[in-house]
Amino acid sequence: DAATDRMYVALVRTYVYNVCLQVGWIDLTAAGPTYTFTTIVESEESGLTPQGSMMGFASGYGWMEVNTSAGYIIVSMEGVASSWKGKLRIYDLATGGLWKEYDVDSNPTFPYRGLKRGLYDHDKGIIVGSCTYEALYGQADYRGLCIIDTTTDIITYNRPPWASVNNYGLGNISLTDEGEYLIASNGYGITLFDGTAWTLYDNDALP
């Protein structure tokens, strides 16, 4: 965070009997060479389901966002092997308390394997995320961009009209100054979503 000269860090342990997540920050203005790590979030679980989610996060599947304007830490853990389930957690930045947790067990419309990339749109109170298409577990109709309303916990999907496929390859997402979502689409190009309409920028549109 450039405004406060803090570097936020996530530390994980994936041992099945002691699955841990620790999120905190380091003050970059400190003289060093030794720095103090200030813990905000500290979570411990056990079992195969938490292990699968955390192993995805530890392997770079999913993402962490520290949204200082909203006051949230968002941790997305994508399940990437076998029947591993994904999970999305939203923590309070000030207290470290868990505000929201989404998975397919608590909300059947949440992507079975979780979100691989996304962002929190503070103005709209929604999380916009990309997920890998899953044909099993009753999720065959969930395609395109996943949108989570954090007020109502209602989850919807918006499918790009520029192709009729199961997996649109949606990946990294950025929020523009105009409040639109700029999304990388592997194999297709770059797509822009304004909340209603989609625009695709590919080799045909920009030769």
Side-chain angles (χ1 to χ4, degrees), residues 45-145:
E45 302 172 272
S46 63
L48 291 173
T49 298
Q51 182 194 38
S53 301
M54 198 63 71
M55 285 184 72
F57 181 63
S59 302
Y61 297 95
W63 92 98
M64 183 179 80
E65 174 186 348
V66 178
N67 193 310
T68 55
S69 60
Y72 295 137
I73 300 171
I74 300 162
V75 179
S76 176
M77 297 167 274
E78 185 185 16
V80 293
S82 185
S83 59
W84 289 359
K85 300 174 183 178
K87 191 179 294 289
L88 179 73
R89 290 174 176 167
I90 307 176
Y91 296 94
D92 186 285
L93 178 59
T95 67
L98 180 64
W99 179 53
K100 297 277 186 177
E101 180 173 89
Y102 297 95
D103 58 31
V104 71
D105 294 325
S106 61
N107 193 323
T109 53
F110 182 76
Y112 184 91
R113 301 190 184 279
L115 301 178
K116 56 183 177 180
R117 289 292 185 271
L119 58 80
Y120 179 75
D121 188 335
H122 181 36
D123 291 338
K124 299 183 180 71
I126 61 175
I127 289 177
V128 178
S130 58
C131 57
T132 301
Y133 176 74
E134 177 55 66
L136 303 177
Y137 313 109
Q139 298 215 329
D141 293 332
Y142 300 158
R143 301 176 179 87
L145 193 67

Side-chain angles (χ1 to χ4, degrees), residues 149-206:
D149 188 319
T150 59
T151 301
T152 64
D153 296 328
I154 293 174
I155 299 175
T156 57
Y157 295 82
N158 197 298
R159 191 172 179 177
W162 37 256
S164 181
V165 295
N166 288 327
N167 197 341
Y168 289 85
L170 302 179
N172 290 331
I173 303 175
S174 297
L175 184 64
T176 71
D177 292 339
E178 291 74 28
E180 300 174 323
Y181 309 106
L182 191 64
I183 310 168
S185 179
N186 187 26
Y188 295 95
I190 299 294
T191 187
L192 187 69
F193 179 58
D194 66 5
T196 304
W198 291 83
T199 304
L200 179 66
Y201 300 95
D202 58 9
N203 287 339
D204 293 332
L206 299 170

Side-chain angles (χ1 to χ4, degrees), residues 18-36:
N18 189 223
V19 181
C20 300
L21 170 67
Q22 186 177 14
V23 180
W25 54 271
I26 298 170
D27 184 356
L28 297 180
T29 64
T34 301
Y35 296 86
T36 300

Side-chain angles (χ1 to χ4, degrees), residues 31-46:
T34 301
Y35 296 86
T36 300
F37 184 80
T38 302
T39 298
I40 305 173
V41 173
E42 199 162 23
S43 169
E44 293 187 22
E45 302 172 272
S46 63

